[in-house]
Amino acid sequence: MPANKSGPVPRKKGRRGRLVAITVALLLVAGVGLGAFWGVSTARASFPQTTGSLKLPGLSNPVDVVRDANGIPQIYADTDEDLFRAQGYVQAQDRFWEMDVRRHMTAGRLSEMFGKSQIKTDSFLRTLGWHHVAQQEYDTKLSPSTKKYLQAYSAGVNAYLKDHEGSELSLEYAALNLENDYKPEQWTPVDSVAWLKAMAWDLRGNMQEEIDRSLLTSRFTPEQIAQLYPAYPYKRNRPIVDGGTVDPAGKEFTPKKPGGATTPAGAPGAIGGVQAQLSALSKTLDEVPALLGPNGNGIGSNSWVVSGAHTTTGKPLLANDPHLAPQMPSLWYQMGLHCRTTGPKCGYDVSGFTFSGMPGVVIGHNKNISWGMTNLGADVTDLYLEKLSANGYLYDGRQRPFVTRKETIKVAGGESRTITVRATGNGPIVSDRDHALGDVGKNAPVGNAAPDRGDGYAVSLRWTALDPGRSMDGVFELNRASDWNGFRKAAEHFEVPSQNLIYADTKGDIGYQAPGRIPVRGKGDGNFDGTYPAPGWDPRYQWKGYIPQKALPYEFNPERGYIVTANQAVTDEKYPYLLTKDWGYGARSQRINDLIQSKIKDGGKVSTDDMQTFQKDNSSEIARLLTPYLMKIDIKDPYVREAQKLLEGWDFTQEPDSAAAAYFNAVWRNTLQLAFGDKMPKELRVKGECLTVRPADETGPADENDKYVRECGERAGDTAQPDGGDRWYEVVRNILDDPGNAWWKTEDRPGSPGDKNRDQLLARAMKDARYELTSKLGKNIDNWSWGRLHQLFLNNQTLGTDGPGILQGLFNRGPWNLGGGEAAVDATGWNASGGYKVTWVPSMRMVVNLADLDKSRWINLTGASGHAYHAHYSDQTDKWAKGELLGWAFSEQAVKKSGKDTLTLSP
C-alpha cells in the first residue's frame, strides 16, 4: 500500500531565486494572508467544464465529449476535422500547462518561461534544432490530410486559449503570472510535430553507451571494456523474430527461411574512443529534460501478443506497458476518438493512449486492430570527431564551409542571447555548446592518417531524427488501419523513433514489424559499427543510406502462437544489417516467454487475467543467479548472518513487504559498487561521491610509492554506472564461476584492505548491505521491507522539481512503496549507483481483448487531469501501484453506460 504523505524530493540547482518568488506567490494563492476562499477558488478556476454545452468555433456539427468516472474522455464527431478540433480543445482543458512546457522544451525556449538558468539547455536544444526540423517536415513532407488534422487540432487548442488565461489555465500560471507577465502564445501544427522529436531523443538508442565506452578508456583496457559490454546471450534469451533471412538481390526480409544472410560487422575499428573530455558532453545531456526517462538501460517497455489458439477467448490478447519516467501528470492521456458514422468524411474509431499536444492515438486499438510499442533500440546516432578551422571543417582532404544559422534565445527577466549553430556534413557541432568541449578529442586514439589534432577535435552528431520525415503521417495511418497490410503500410512512415510494433486483429491474426529509418554505415577501416565515435574527416565512416523498409524484420502468425518484445535482440546473428550492438539483454523478454510457455504447455490457455498477472511479475533473475553463491559463504558475524538468513527459502519475488528483496537488492548494489563502481572513472560515478584513487595514468599493481588523489563523481544518480540493469547481470554471470577474476579484486587503499577473490567481496557486500539497511530501515530486520526502500515519487516536471518543499508539496504526490524492480517484468527501475528510488516505471498498462473490445482493460500512472487538487489528478495511481486495471469501454453502448459527464461542443 502506498504511503499517504509526501516525502522529500531531491532538489536541483538553478532557478532558485526565481522559484522562491514563485513560492511566495503560491503561498498567497493557497490562501496564506489573502484568505482561504481565494486559495480554493484559484485552484478550482482551471478545472474544466465537463457537462452542459460550450461553443467551439469552426465545428461543422455538434461534438459530444463523454467522460467516465475517471474523467477519461470519449469524443464523438461527424467529420475528421471536427474530431481533431475537439481533441485539441479537450486536451487543453486538462493538460495545457504540460503542453505549453513541452513545446517550449522542444523549441529550445524554456528560458522564456523560467529565466536565465535554462539558457544552456535551450542552447543545446537549438543546436539540435528539433523545432527547425519539425517545420521542415510540416512544410515539405506531411500529407495534405495530416496537415488538415494538425490545423484542426491547433484551432481547438487556440479556441480554449481564447477564453482562458492565468489561473483559468492552471494553478502554475497563477504563480507564474504573479511574478511576470508571461502569456501563452497561439498553438501551431509544428508545436505538435516537434513533440515527436522529443520522443525520438529520449529513445535515440546507444548514444550514452557510445559516450560511456569512450569515457571508460581512461581507466580500462579495450579488453576490460568489452567485458563490461558483453555480447547478447542469443542461446539463452530468445530474439523477437524466430529466424528469417533477407534476399540479397531483392533486399526483402522473409520470416523463417534459412540462408541468404551474412554476419554483421564485428568489433570497433582503429578509431577507438574519445577520452574523458567527453564527460562535458555527458553532463550537457544530463541537463536536457528527459521527458520519457533517463536514457539508457531503463528506457524500454514490455509488449506481447498471444494468438487465439492459446487464449480462453479464442481471439488474440495483446498487452503493453511502456517503461518511462515517473512524472506528474503522466506522459499519457487516455482518450477515445469516434466518428459517429465511419466513411469518407470521418474515418476514425480509435481509443487508447495519446500524447497531450499531439492529435491521434499513439498506442491502443480501433474497431479492427490493436497495436503496442516497445523501444527497438536501433542505433540511429553517431558521434563524429571533427577537425575544424576558423571557417570550416576537414573532409576527404579538403576544407568545407560550415552550414550555419543564428538562434536568438529570449530570457524572462533578462536580455536575449544570440548563438550561432554550426554544422558539418555529419550534423550539428554539439561541442560548441560547452566550453569544456573545446578539448574534446585532445587524447582520442586515432589512426596514423588522422589530421593534426591541435587543441583537440570538435564533436558533431549524426541522428536520423534531424532529417525531415513522415512519422506524423504514420500515426494517423496506424489509427485508420483495418488489417495487417494497412498496419505495415503505416509502419513504413513511422520513421523515428524506431519502435517494435506488435499487432493483433479481430479476425485472429497476430504480427510484428520493425519499422524505422536505420542507417547503413560505411565500414571505415574495416569494422565501424557505431559503438565508438568516428573520424568525421574520413569518407569511409559515412552513412551509406538506410536499411530498406522491405528488409526490416517482421513476423505474421508465427507457428509458436505468440510474440514477445521487451527490448531484446530483434533477430539472430545471421541478419545481414546492423541494427545495434547495444540491445537490452533479454531478462524481461525471456521471463515473459517463460510465463507464456508455462501457461500454454500441455494445451493450457491464457486469459485476460493471466495477461494482467504477467504484467505484475516481479521475479528477479539476478537474485535467482546470485543467491546460491551468497548462501554458501560462511558468515561469522551473527549480526550479518541474521540478514543472510533472510535469503533462505526466498522465492526471488520482490513484493513491497519483502525483507528478503530489500536485503538482496542492497547486497546486489554493494556488490556492483565494490567490483565495478569504485573502479569507474569519475565521469561515470555519482555526482558528489568521492574516492581516494590512483591517477588514471598510473598502471600496474599498487605499491607504497603510489600517489593517491581525491576524485569525486560527476554523473547524475539516475544515469551513473553501474546501473544494475540486465547488462550487469551478464557481466556478473560471466565471472561468477571464476572466483579469482580480476574484477572481484578491490584495490588496497590507505586504511582500506582490498578483497582478493569473489567470496571475500561478496561477504563484504553482505556486511555493507546489513549496515546500510540498518541505517535506512532500522536495526530490527522484522521491520525491513523492499517498498520502504523502493519508493515512487510523482513530481510535477517544472515547478515541482525545484525549490523549497512547500512548492513541491503543492504539485507533487507520493511516496508509494512499490514492489518490482530493475529488469523485472514489473519494471519499477532503479539505478544501483544512485540508490533505490524508482527512476522509471510501467507508465501505463493495457490488455486488449480482440474477442470483445469492451472487455479490454487499461490504467494510467496518474490521472486524466493535469490540474493539482482536481479529483482526477492522481486517482488511478493507487490502483496502478496494486497492479489493478480499469475497464476500457469502446463501443458507443458501453461508453454511454460507463459515462458520468457529457459536454456538447457546438459550432
Side-chain angles (χ1 to χ4, degrees), residues 205-526:
N206 78 333
M207 183 174 170
Q208 190 65 58
E209 285 86 352
E210 192 172 336
I211 292 170
D212 287 354
R213 269 187 288 259
S214 299
L215 295 173
L216 289 172
T217 61
S218 69
R219 289 267 176 197
F220 301 135
T221 66
E223 293 75 19
Q224 289 172 315
I225 295 172
Q227 291 167 9
L228 299 182
Y229 289 87
Y232 184 85
Y234 287 98
K235 293 183 179 179
R236 186 182 341 107
N237 294 342
R238 172 185 289 169
I240 296 171
V241 174
D242 235 352
T245 187
V246 176
D247 171 34
K251 305 294 185 184
E252 185 167 359
F253 184 84
T254 303
K256 294 188 73 67
K257 285 191 177 180
T262 58
T263 303
I271 177 65
V274 175
Q275 292 288 338
Q277 286 78 9
L278 266 174
S279 63
L281 176 57
S282 183
K283 292 175 191 174
T284 301
L285 296 180
D286 271 345
E287 293 173 2
V288 175
L291 291 184
L292 303 188
N295 189 268
N297 191 52
I299 285 285
S301 302
N302 301 321
S303 70
W304 64 92
V305 59
V306 182
S307 78
H310 299 303
T311 67
T312 58
T313 66
K315 290 289 179 70
L317 294 171
L318 184 150
N320 196 188
D321 56 285
H323 305 156
L324 306 174
Q327 56 187 269
M328 176 60 78
S330 166
L331 190 79
W332 300 106
Y333 184 86
Q334 295 150 289
M335 197 171 220
L337 301 172
H338 307 279
C339 292
R340 294 190 179 100
T341 302
T342 55
K345 289 186 177 181
C346 203
Y348 294 87
D349 190 10
V350 61
S351 184
F353 293 86
T354 73
F355 290 138
S356 301
M358 197 178 92
V361 169
V362 178
I363 295 174
H365 70 81
N366 59 34
K367 63 182 179 181
N368 297 306
I369 76 166
S370 179
W371 66 94
M373 296 184 188
T374 64
N375 194 22
L376 191 150
D379 185 357
V380 296
T381 61
D382 277 325
L383 294 173
Y384 282 91
L385 306 179
E386 304 283 2
K387 176 61 179 177
L388 305 185
S389 64
N391 300 313
Y393 62 97
L394 182 67
Y395 179 72
D396 198 16
R398 295 173 50 202
Q399 287 292 316
R400 308 292 176 95
F402 297 116
V403 176
T404 63
R405 69 177 189 273
K406 297 284 188 182
E407 295 278 353
T408 299
I409 299 171
K410 297 179 181 179
V411 182
E415 295 183 1
S416 297
R417 310 287 180 89
T418 299
I419 64 170
T420 299
V421 176
R422 302 188 295 174
T424 73
N426 293 313
I429 300 174
V430 292
S431 54
D432 279 350
R433 299 283 72 89
D434 192 302
H435 292 300
L437 284 170
D439 291 333
V440 166
K442 183 175 288 187
N443 297 313
V446 292
N448 292 331
D452 173 49
R453 72 176 75 244
D455 293 329
Y457 302 126
V459 178
S460 63
L461 172 66
R462 183 83 168 97
W463 179 33
T464 56
L466 297 184
D467 297 324
R470 295 185 59 187
S471 293
M472 198 72 236
D473 284 345
V475 171
F476 291 115
E477 291 168 357
L478 200 56
N479 286 197
R480 293 193 306 266
S482 60
D483 56 22
W484 171 246
N485 290 333
F487 168 80
R488 292 194 73 198
K489 186 179 185 317
E492 289 181 11
H493 292 146
F494 210 91
E495 296 164 328
V496 290
S498 186
Q499 298 288 284
N500 295 307
L501 294 175
I502 60 166
Y503 168 92
D505 62 37
T506 55
K507 294 185 295 185
D509 296 319
I510 65 171
Y512 162 81
Q513 178 67 56
R517 186 192 294 150
I518 303 171
V520 176
R521 292 172 173 82
K523 297 297 183 183
D525 57 0

Side-chain angles (χ1 to χ4, degrees), residues 701-716:
D703 59 40
E704 66 275 5
N705 296 319
D706 286 326
K707 295 181 180 180
Y708 286 82
V709 296
R710 191 72 169 164
E711 281 190 356
C712 297
E714 299 176 352
R715 181 68 64 86

Side-chain angles (χ1 to χ4, degrees), residues 36 111 136 237 257 448 480 497 564 634 738 768 866:
S111 300
Q136 291 179 308
N237 294 342
K257 285 191 177 180
N448 292 331
R480 293 193 306 266
V564 175
D634 184 15
D738 182 9
D768 290 352

